[in-house]
Every structure is written in structure tokens, then in C-alpha cells.
Amino acid sequence: MRLASYLNTAFNGFPASSKLLIVFSLSGGGLVAYSESQSNSATNKTEIEQLVKKKKVVVLGTGWASTSFLKDLDISSYDVQVVSPRNYFAFTPLLPSVTCGTVEARSIVEPVRNIIQKKNGEIKFWEAECTKIDAANKKVFCRSAIDANLVGKNDFCLEFDYLVVATGAGVNTFNTPGVMEYCHFLKEVEDAQKIRTSVIDCFEKAILPELTDEERRTNLHFVIVGGGPTGVEFAAELHDFVHEDLVKLYPVVKDLVKITVIQSGDHILNTYDCRISDFAEQKFARDGIDVRTGCRVLSVTDKEVSMKVKSSGENVSIPHGMVVWSTGVSTRPVVKDFMDQIGQGKRKVLATDEWLRVKGCEDVYAIGDCATIDQRRIMEDIGAIFNAADKDKSGTLTVEEFQDIIDDILIRYPQVDLHLIDKKLSRVTDLLNDKKEVDIEGFKLALSQVDLQMKSLPATAQVAAQQGTYLSSCFNKRELAKTLPEGPRRFKSSGRHAFLPFRYKHFGSFAPLGGEQAAAELPGDWVSVGRSTQWLWYSVYASKQVSWRTRVLVVSDWTRRFIFGRDSSRI
Ligand code: FAD
Ligand code: MG
């Protein structure tokens, strides 16, 4: 028996029939072979029973949202499969640093197979792209892009009980002519690597003999379209790379380099506190980075960027050596097709409810940049809320009756809290304006301004990661929630929601501005700028790394850069 179990371990990779054959021939047949086949079938049976009971979960993507979902998911009751064209997770906040070699590409990626390893089972990963979601039949169709010369089919289909869509977003060109053909993007690790090579190319080309000064100047004109956090951080990185490293290596052309940031709004970093955008604009002005606000790009060619200056209405063209396009996100084709199927075709972004369930679709969840939460308006439910609160059915609501439902209102409609802060009110009952009792019209009036506070969440890693963690906690508590619901009461029907709705907590955001200076917006309306903020940035981004391996690599890259500067080899 011990021999049989030893052999079972030793030959684990073999099919059951060959194990039987090996054991049979070694033992000379008889009892050992019999007991091996008996125990095998018993194990297989329980395994099969477990698999049948387990709900099939398919996860699309290996970005911020999906990896945080997978990290915390208890897979003892789920059979999980992950599909993504990328077999790694990329720490996107450090992508701008990869464009100039401050950090190496491999230092910011972690193989997804390391992340999904679990002690109590296996999560399967398939390197492929989902090409179609068939929500009605609960299937996803996938295609692998792995070398077509390798044998075997590249297409396959997976069935699911629950689907988690976390495919992120694509680039948004606003259909501007020439952008796809002539601009660099900064979304993926490969994009950052291409930018790095291109920057060096521009310098190597600019110093070739027999170029005019004008031609050298054009080759060394770097244009960044979009003055959001990514565009600004890239401009700052590029400025440091040029002035700390490249001017020493290409002294002949050092005075010909120019960096221009084109922004359609009136300020760069306009989603940040105005103190931060002012600081960034002043810093860029000192650094000689040309910030052109109020300009909308009309087209891009291999030689020029054409734009309309909003203030004067005139069209201007500027020659360039390289353009980086960084102007927000758009819906991926597979998600757009899915939206058409489920009646969301007229929307720009896939909508979910506050529990991250895709609207108009059973058992499909969407997290991260691919979706947005369509927050419920309190005015849509105002009649139902009034009726639920009016316990004595008097047709009026007393302060006490209102008090009774306040906690559920605050959980279900977070805009109420924001409204109270905005109006500097301390209690929800203050909304009743000292009235002891209101009828439905008075109640509507009291809450009429509340929905103005609804805001959609930004497309950031912070939101995506928190959504992933939240969703995994709901999956982990699914059975428990059937008997012990923890969510707010349902106003339109009876009972309670199974879970608390997703609530985002903002921990602040950074804007590195180059020259060892950064700006940060911290919770509680705090703003911090300067060198100390850059050190805070280093410590936060080191601590946020997904593994000790990447943490060590990133910190050693920063140290290498401090000591030796950035590497300008064109590889
Ligand atoms: P992603 O992280 O983009 O992941 C999407 C995943 O889906 C990828 O694995 C992709 O390969 C996969 N996928 C795509 N199509 C398919 C398909 N058809 N089938 C299956 N899988 C698919 N946010 C911050 O909070 N702080 C920052 O400092 C910050 N800096 C940034 C800097 C840059 C340069 C960029 C580009 C973004 C930055 N962000 C930052 C934003 C942040 O990266 C995104 O909000 C975040 O990546 C969104 O996570 P996600 O999981 O939704 O998408
Ligand atoms: Mg009443």
C-alpha cells in the first residue's frame, strides 16, 4: 500500500490507466493494483463531485481590478479561469518612468501565475483575448494570439456561472486623423518601451551630419497631447532624462531640444486641486516646457501636429520629432459589442449598479476602467422611501419616522452624505428645515438637491483595486449573505440587499513633476508639493508593489539611476 501511494505521487503526471499498468507490473499484479485503482476512483469521485458543486467563474483581464479580485478570492467554492492576452500584471503608475529608463520594464511586471497561486486549489490562466461575451448563453469566446506556427487551435469557448469583466479601457483618439498612425500611446509596457527607443532615435537622428539646424530642431521637438496626470508625468520624466543624462551625451544639440504639452482645457492637471495645477504650470515654465492650454488638436501627420487655438480661433501647425497621445480612455470593442447585446448600446461606458453587477444582465460583474457605476438617484425612489418610512400610514412623515430609515438611506444613496457636507448640515433631519412633519411634496423638496452631488469615479488603479477587493469579499460571503444579509433595506420591495454597496475611499493622488519634486492631493483637502512629497511618492510606490521581487527591483533601479544616471542605449 505504501508502495502504491509512493508510486501515485511519483507518477502523478501519468494518466490513471498508465499508473495502474506501472503498479501492476512492479507488484506482479494482484492486491496492490486492485487497491490503487479503488482509491483512485474514490478520490476522482470526490474531486468530480466537488467540481460539479463549484460555480464556474471566468475573469477577463490581468490588470489592477482582476488581480486584486483574484488575490483575495476564496476558491474553495469556485472553479476559476482567467483569460487575458497579458500573462503578467503591470504596475501602470510607473510606466512613465519606463519611457526614459528610470525604471526597467521588467521591474514593474509580475507574472500572473505567481499572483494566482493558491494554497487550496488552482486558478487556471489562459493567455488569450476574449473576442465575444455571450451573456444570454453564459459563454465567452476567446482567441489566443500565440504564434500561429505552433500546432493546435487558437480559438476556444468557456462557460461560466459568473463572469467578471475587467478588461480595462483602450486609448481615446476622439477620431482625430493621423493619431493611430503617427502617435505613441502610453497604456501598455510595450508602449513605454517603444517610446524609450523613439526618444533615443530622435537624438541619434538629430546629430547625424548634413542636417540643417531646423531639421535637428524638428527631430528634437517632443509633443505631448493631453495635460492630465499621465501626459504631465511623462513630460517631467522626459525633461529630466534630457537635462540630466542626454545633454551630456549629445552636447552638440542640447540647445535645440523642446518639449511641448498641448492641453484642451485651461490648465494642466485640471482634475487636481488648483494649487497643484498652478505649481505644475510654474515648475514647467521654469523648466522651459512649453504648455499650450486651450488648444484642440485637429490632426497629426508624420511631420506636424495641427491644432486650433480656442482663444483666437486660428489653426496652427507645429513640426515634431515624436508625439505622445495621452487624452483619456475609451471602451474596448469586446465591451462595446457586449453593451449592444444587453441594451446599453447608447451609453459610452458599460454601466453597473452599486454592487458592480452589469445592468441588464444576470451574473455578470464589471470592475475597473471598463465600467462605471450608475449611481441610483434618490429622486427615482422618493415615493417608495416615503411609503417605507411612513409606518403609521398617515400620509406624513414625522422626524422620528424619518430617523428610522436614515442609516439605510445613507448607505444606499451616498450622495446624501456629500450633500450634507456641501450644505454644512450635521444631521440628515436638518434637511427638513426644522419641520416636525412633512408630506410627500415636502419630503421631495427636502431631498431635491441631493442628486446633484453624484459623481462618477475616476479611471484609476486605486478605484480598480478597491473594486476587485470589494467584489472578492462579496463572492467569499455569498452563501452567508443568503441567510444574513448585510446590505441596506430595499425600499421598493421587502427585505434587505445581500451586501453593502461598493464605497470608494480616496487615499490621495500624486503628480510627479520632475527634478525630484512632486505634488500630492491628500485626503482632507491637504495639498503637499516639493521635494518631501517626491520622497513620499518613492515610499508609497515602493510599498504598493505587488511582490517583494518587484519592490526590490524598482528600488534598485531608482538607486542605479541616482548613481549612474539613465541608460541611453537603443535597445
Ligand atoms: P488594466 O489595468 O488596464 O487591465 C486590463 C486587463 O485586461 C489587462 O490585463 C489587459 O491585457 C486585459 N484585456 C484587455 N482586453 C482584453 C480582452 N479582450 N480579453 C481579456 N483580457 C483583456 N492610476 C492610479 O490610480 N495612479 C496612478 O499613478 C496611475 N498612473 C497611470 C499611469 C499610466 C501611464 C497609465 C496608462 C495609467 C495610470 N493609472 C493610474 C490608471 C490605472 O492604470 C488604471 O486605472 C488601471 O490600470 C485600471 O485597471 P483595470 O484592471 O480596469 O485595467
Ligand atoms: Mg406618518
Side-chain angles (χ1 to χ4, degrees):
M1 198 46 211
R2 276 178 48 201
L3 177 68
S5 80
Y6 167 75
L7 287 168
N8 190 28
T9 324
F11 296 108
N12 232 354
F14 290 83
S17 57
S18 53
K19 268 189 231 168
L20 187 74
L21 189 75
I22 293 161
V23 177
F24 196 84
S25 52
L26 282 175
S27 66
L31 192 62
V32 176
Y34 172 75
S35 45
E36 173 66 8
S37 76
Q38 280 274 303
S39 75
N40 246 359
S41 69
T43 340
N44 285 350
K45 204 172 154 215
T46 42
E47 270 172 15
I48 289 165
E49 271 171 8
Q50 267 178 2
L51 271 178
V52 170
K53 260 198 281 161
K54 282 186 174 184
K55 294 276 188 197
K56 289 191 212 109
V57 179
V58 172
V59 181
L60 305 179
T62 47
W64 278 97
S66 49
T67 50
S68 68
F69 170 74
L70 293 164
K71 223 165 41 193
D72 296 332
L73 184 68
D74 173 6
I75 58 166
S76 53
S77 45
Y78 298 108
D79 171 25
V80 187
Q81 306 189 61
V82 184
V83 181
S84 174
R86 263 176 18 194
N87 78 347
Y88 57 87
F89 163 81
F91 191 87
T92 47
L94 288 182
L95 274 182
S97 305
V98 173
T99 58
C100 299
T102 307
V103 169
E104 291 299 327
R106 282 196 180 267
S107 307
I108 65 157
V109 301
E110 182 68 18
V112 72
R113 288 177 197 279
N114 287 355
I115 298 174
I116 63 178
Q117 259 176 0
K118 297 263 177 181
K119 287 194 184 80
N120 58 345
E122 186 199 8
I123 294 180
K124 297 187 190 83
F125 171 74
W126 316 121
E127 192 185 280
E129 189 180 347
C130 170
T131 50
K132 189 167 182 70
I133 299 169
D134 179 356
N137 296 304
K138 293 198 157 185
K139 283 180 185 168
V140 288
F141 295 88
C142 308
R143 182 172 305 139
S144 156
I146 300 170
D147 193 349
N149 288 331
L150 294 173
V151 294
K153 276 183 11 181
N154 273 5
D155 295 278
F156 58 95
C157 166
L158 303 174
E159 291 181 351
F160 63 82
D161 294 305
Y162 303 115
L163 177 68
V164 179
V165 185
T167 49
V171 291
N172 197 348
T173 67
F174 300 98
N175 293 325
T176 313
V179 173
M180 273 300 178
E181 295 87 338
Y182 304 112
C183 292
H184 285 274
F185 299 103
L186 186 46
K187 277 271 331 136
E188 306 286 341
V189 177
E190 291 91 335
D191 296 335
Q193 288 172 310
K194 278 189 207 151
I195 291 176
R196 186 175 177 181
T197 314
S198 252
V199 171
I200 303 296
D201 278 349
C202 290
F203 273 85
E204 292 295 351
K205 180 76 197 240
I207 56 154
L208 286 182
E210 305 200 7
L211 264 74
T212 64
D213 259 7
E214 210 40 50
E215 285 167 334
R216 294 185 210 280
R217 212 182 284 280
T218 299
N219 289 331
L220 293 175
H221 187 195
F222 301 95
V223 178
I224 295 137
V225 184
T230 303
V232 165
E233 191 177 343
F234 171 64
E237 272 285 344
L238 185 62
H239 175 268
D240 284 0
F241 187 26
V242 169
H243 292 273
E244 288 169 11
D245 302 289
L246 296 181
V247 289
K248 293 180 207 147
L249 304 171
Y250 305 85
V252 189
V253 290
K254 74 176 181 0
D255 297 327
L256 306 180
V257 184
K258 187 173 176 191
I259 300 172
T260 300
V261 178
I262 302 173
Q263 161 76 332
S264 62
D266 293 337
H267 294 281
I268 55 171
L269 295 181
N270 56 8
T271 54
Y272 284 68
D273 190 288
C274 60
R275 287 167 284 179
I276 291 185
S277 49
D278 286 350
F279 180 79
E281 282 169 9
Q282 285 162 15
K283 164 101 179 41
F284 276 13
R286 283 197 303 275
D287 288 347
I289 298 174
D290 184 15
V291 176
R292 302 227 184 162
T293 52
C295 294
R296 192 165 60 83
V297 172
L298 303 172
S299 66
V300 182
T301 65
D302 57 342
K303 306 239 162 15
E304 285 182 340
V305 176
S306 304
M307 57 188 169
K308 190 179 192 85
V309 182
K310 283 187 195 161
S311 56
S312 63
E314 60 176 337
N315 290 354
V316 179
S317 288
I318 50 172
H320 68 82
M322 176 181 156
V323 187
V324 173
W325 187 270
S326 166
T327 59
V329 295
S330 72
T331 302
R332 291 197 191 276
V334 65
V335 175
K336 191 84 201 115
D337 172 76
F338 173 51
M339 290 166 70
D340 289 338
Q341 289 175 48
I342 58 170
Q344 289 200 21
K346 290 210 174 83
R347 293 187 54 98
K348 280 198 180 133
V349 189
L350 180 64
T352 71
D353 64 14
E354 297 87 335
W355 288 268
L356 311 180
R357 299 174 295 199
V358 171
K359 286 196 161 176
C361 196
E362 278 287 296
D363 299 328
V364 181
Y365 301 80
I367 49 178
D369 284 4
C370 68
T372 182
I373 298 174
D374 197 10
Q375 179 70 49
R376 182 91 180 165
R377 291 174 184 278
I378 199 163
M379 291 316 272
E380 277 178 70
D381 297 341
I382 197 84
I385 297 171
F386 187 88
N387 289 337
D390 182 15
K391 272 198 189 140
D392 59 2
K393 302 293 165 214
S394 63
T396 56
L397 216 60
T398 60
V399 172
E400 289 72 34
E401 282 175 323
F402 190 28
Q403 193 84 49
D404 205 34
I405 55 158
I406 279 172
D407 287 347
D408 291 307
I409 289 188
L410 286 174
I411 295 170
R412 182 71 184 88
Y413 310 95
Q415 62 267 41
V416 176
D417 231 353
L418 297 174
H419 180 72
L420 295 179
I421 296 168
D422 189 51
K423 295 286 171 216
K424 300 192 171 51
L425 300 175
S426 51
R427 292 164 308 172
V428 185
T429 45
D430 292 347
L431 289 170
L432 299 184
N433 266 341
D434 293 335
K435 292 200 184 87
K436 296 269 174 293
E437 209 161 345
V438 285
D439 61 7
I440 179 74
E441 291 311 318
F443 192 55
K444 279 185 188 166
L445 191 68
L447 296 170
S448 58
Q449 303 292 307
V450 165
D451 288 332
L452 297 177
Q453 292 296 328
M454 292 196 314
K455 286 190 199 98
S456 47
L457 296 175
T460 62
Q462 225 180 121
V463 172
Q466 287 184 29
Q467 291 186 335
T469 308
Y470 164 83
L471 192 61
S472 65
S473 78
C474 294
F475 269 63
N476 294 345
K477 290 185 290 191
R478 195 184 282 279
E479 287 309 312
L480 185 69
K482 282 181 190 159
T483 47
L484 286 174
E486 62 173 20
R489 78 169 76 179
R490 293 175 191 272
F491 289 113
K492 289 209 144 175
S493 56
S494 57
R496 306 190 78 81
H497 290 277
F499 301 106
L500 290 169
F502 170 73
R503 199 58 91 78
Y504 171 63
K505 194 163 177 356
H506 187 59
F507 291 108
S509 33
F510 283 99
L513 298 170
E516 297 304 315
Q517 305 230 20
E521 209 176 54
L522 303 166
D525 207 21
W526 279 82
V527 162
S528 150
V529 289
R531 275 173 198 276
S532 54
T533 316
Q534 179 68 35
W535 283 98
L536 185 64
W537 181 89
Y538 281 127
S539 51
V540 168
Y541 280 86
S543 72
K544 291 279 169 202
Q545 292 301 313
V546 285
S547 71
W548 274 101
R549 192 188 65 86
T550 56
R551 190 167 297 128
V552 169
L553 288 175
V554 163
V555 173
S556 63
D557 282 352
W558 287 333
T559 317
R560 170 188 48 76
R561 202 272 292 169
F562 272 117
I563 300 170
F564 302 109
R566 301 167 185 85
D567 182 352
S568 67
S569 321
R570 190 200 175 280
I571 49 162

